[in-house]
Amino acid sequence: MIDTIYIPTLGRWNNQITFFNMPSSIQNKCVLVVQPKERANHAHLPTLVLPENDCGITATRKWIWEQGKDKRYIVMDDDIVMKTRTPGEEKSKRTMTEEDWCYMLDTVSKWMDEGIAWGGCRSCLPPAGKEYIENSGTAEVFFFDGNQLPSADELDWSLSTAEDISLSLQLLSKGYRNRIFDKFVYQSDFVGTQGGCLDMGRNMAMINNNHAKLIEKFPEYVSWNGEKEIRGETMKKIKVMYKKAYNDSQKSKTTLEEWMI
């Protein structure tokens, strides 16, 4: 079963969208991961306090990874609403019910029993026509089985944004396959709501800079893919080849096994 749902949060003590759009039974599994300076603001909610202030989202994610090394857990952004596609009308979505949540958590636990150590949910993109897709990227909603995954020190936590893409590519290229729900999706406002990474200085220049670092780090899997205007600023888009990262890891594994015979 899933032990804990971690929700890292900053600057949104009066606007906990994710937590308050959950059924109470699911809220009971949640802890808000907060900086020491905001501990008192969340006194009415379950919290886990980070070691220091102003550490950034990537350091926060690393710290959660360390806390979850012996757990099955979920990490969710604090400004999303979870939706489920309507059966037979996949382009239509509704907010997840308690029954939906129980089904999703039970399914994730079964996947972990089968050796699927991590995964997540798609955003509200056009439907893929299946309950889940395999060996792809995810963001904002992750599930992990810490017992099956590498230690924090075996991973690179250097990017201040695009940390979800970096983590996904690292795990896939190391041979950790995943499953990403298309039945259950998240709805959010990209780069939008006040608080969160905006309070830590995230802006379009930082995003574009980290996209360039991703390309430098994963040249086989990340490339430039045009530009997009967002609120009067230009985001340099990237194309990410998640499935190729995993497939290449399996080719390398096969080659090594053949060499050892």
Side-chain angles (χ1 to χ4, degrees):
M1 64 182 294
I2 300 301
D3 300 302
T4 308
I5 300 174
Y6 295 99
I7 306 176
T9 185
L10 176 66
R12 293 176 177 147
W13 58 86
N14 60 347
N15 191 29
Q16 285 298 318
I17 295 173
T18 303
F19 184 86
F20 286 112
N21 277 281
M22 291 176 168
S24 59
S25 61
I26 306 302
Q27 290 175 347
N28 291 336
K29 288 182 172 288
C30 293
V31 291
L32 303 185
V33 181
V34 305
Q35 296 185 10
K37 64 184 179 182
E38 291 192 356
R39 181 176 191 169
N41 296 323
H42 296 286
H44 59 300
L45 296 174
T47 58
L48 196 60
V49 182
L50 290 160
E52 58 185 359
N53 290 316
D54 305 322
C55 52
I57 186 59
T58 305
T60 299
R61 291 286 183 87
K62 180 182 180 182
W63 188 80
I64 293 172
W65 188 276
E66 293 168 340
Q67 308 311 303
K69 63 182 179 180
D70 298 318
K71 294 182 178 181
R72 290 181 169 182
Y73 63 100
I74 292 177
V75 183
M76 304 180 68
D77 282 12
D78 65 353
D79 59 346
I80 63 176
V81 178
M82 293 299 296
K83 302 281 187 176
T84 184
R85 299 193 193 275
T86 306
E89 301 177 29
E90 284 78 8
K91 291 184 179 180
S92 173
K93 297 174 287 291
R94 58 169 171 76
T95 300
M96 286 175 61
T97 64
E98 181 175 14
E99 183 178 357
D100 294 326
W101 274 97
C102 290
Y103 176 86
M104 185 180 80
L105 297 183
D106 286 346
T107 300
V108 167
S109 187
K110 290 176 183 176
W111 288 351
M112 290 175 172
D113 290 342
E114 298 169 7
I116 305 294
W118 73 287
C121 297
R122 293 184 78 206
S123 63
C124 290
L125 295 168
K130 56 185 76 174
E131 183 166 324
Y132 62 85
I133 58 178
E134 293 190 310
N135 301 324
S136 187
T138 187
E140 303 196 40
V141 180
F142 283 87
F143 58 78
F144 300 112
D145 184 346
N147 290 293
Q148 300 188 55
L149 291 167
S151 69
D153 291 340
E154 296 176 72
L155 299 169
D156 179 7
W157 306 89
S158 61
L159 294 187
S160 57
T161 65
E163 72 284 349
D164 292 343
I165 300 173
S166 176
L167 179 59
S168 293
L169 283 173
Q170 288 183 75
L171 293 175
L172 290 168
S173 63
K174 289 177 180 290
Y176 294 94
R177 63 191 178 117
N178 72 16
R179 287 180 182 164
I180 310 298
F181 273 113
D182 187 63
K183 177 181 176 66
F184 303 112
V185 296
Y186 64 87
Q187 179 176 292
S188 67
D189 182 12
F190 177 71
V191 194
T193 52
Q194 290 300 310
C197 291
L198 291 180
D199 278 13
M200 293 302 297
R202 182 177 68 180
N203 54 35
M204 197 59 71
M206 183 185 293
I207 292 170
N208 289 336
N209 182 50
N210 280 313
H211 282 179
K213 289 180 179 178
L214 273 174
I215 292 172
E216 181 179 355
K217 183 177 177 181
F218 300 103
E220 305 95 336
Y221 311 125
V222 187
S223 59
W224 293 117
N225 191 33
E227 297 181 344
K228 180 179 181 179
E229 291 297 316
I230 299 179
R231 301 184 180 182
E233 296 185 281
T234 301
M235 182 177 75
K236 296 181 179 179
K237 299 194 302 178
I238 53 176
K239 179 180 180 180
V240 185
M241 303 175 69
Y242 295 107
K243 193 173 293 291
K244 185 177 189 301
Y246 177 74
N247 289 342
D248 285 355
S249 77
Q250 299 308 292
K251 292 176 184 176
S252 299
K253 179 180 178 181
T254 300
T255 301
L256 178 60
E257 290 174 346
E258 291 175 345
W259 180 80
M260 295 177 66
I261 292 176

